[in-house]
Amino acid sequence: MGKYDDIINLPHKQSTRRSHMSLYDRAAQFSPFAALTGHDAAIKETARLTDKKVELDEGSKERLNMRLQLILENLISTPEVTITYFMPDERKTGGAYVEAVGIVKKVDEYEQIVIMRDGRKIPIDDIINIEGALFRHLD
């Protein structure tokens, strides 16, 4: 006679106070465990590259000021321009250079921002280049 022969054929006892656990919940007990939650995301964030902001020389600043002045003088004709500017990264040092293509709605000299027709606000100090048909005679 075996060690458990006396209980092997007895019915499985169900608790009257607790409901039976589903197979899905039972299987979840054995799912992989991530001891370092968020570690992979932190490594990816650290590896993500950012650019440093370029400081313009006086000649480049003067060129940009002339182009902004030309935009101000021609706001009524709504010329399309491409503005390349530095966008700081929200999570780490540095940022990225992005281009905004569109029509300038306003140049706010007091706030030092360029407001595009689509609502984007670009700080003048972050602009490194402005291109467009309006400037062809300058180049």
Side-chain angles (χ1 to χ4, degrees):
M1 189 163 179
K3 186 174 179 182
Y4 297 106
D5 285 344
D6 59 331
I7 61 169
I8 198 78
N9 292 321
L10 291 177
H12 180 70
K13 183 170 189 248
Q14 291 280 16
S15 173
T16 55
R17 285 189 257 163
R18 298 178 189 256
S19 62
H20 186 68
M21 185 183 281
S22 72
L23 288 177
Y24 179 80
D25 291 337
R26 196 170 167 84
Q29 297 179 71
F30 303 102
S31 64
F33 173 68
L36 298 173
T37 305
H39 183 67
D40 287 340
I43 289 174
K44 286 178 185 174
E45 176 63 24
T46 302
R48 187 171 53 84
L49 297 176
T50 57
D51 294 325
K52 290 183 180 178
K53 185 176 178 181
V54 175
E55 291 297 322
L56 298 177
D57 60 25
E58 289 304 314
S60 297
K61 287 179 184 179
E62 183 62 34
R63 178 178 173 265
L64 285 176
N65 284 336
M66 285 175 35
R67 290 179 179 234
L68 285 170
Q69 188 61 40
L70 199 54
I71 290 172
L72 274 170
E73 293 168 3
N74 291 282
L75 280 178
I76 295 172
S77 64
T78 63
E80 184 173 274
V81 295
T82 300
I83 300 176
T84 306
Y85 65 100
F86 182 77
M87 181 178 287
D89 194 295
E90 294 177 356
R91 290 185 237 147
K92 60 193 286 189
T93 305
Y97 282 94
V98 294
E99 286 187 346
V101 179
I103 297 171
V104 175
K105 179 179 177 182
K106 179 181 179 182
V107 177
D108 188 334
E109 295 177 71
Y110 180 75
E111 293 288 329
Q112 290 291 297
I113 57 173
V114 174
I115 302 171
M116 303 297 283
R117 191 175 272 178
D118 65 6
R120 252 183 300 196
K121 295 179 179 177
I122 303 169
I124 291 175
D125 289 342
D126 292 339
I127 297 173
I128 63 162
N129 193 25
I130 304 173
E131 295 294 327
L134 180 64
F135 312 113
R136 290 227 169 93
H137 71 283
L138 297 176
D139 295 326

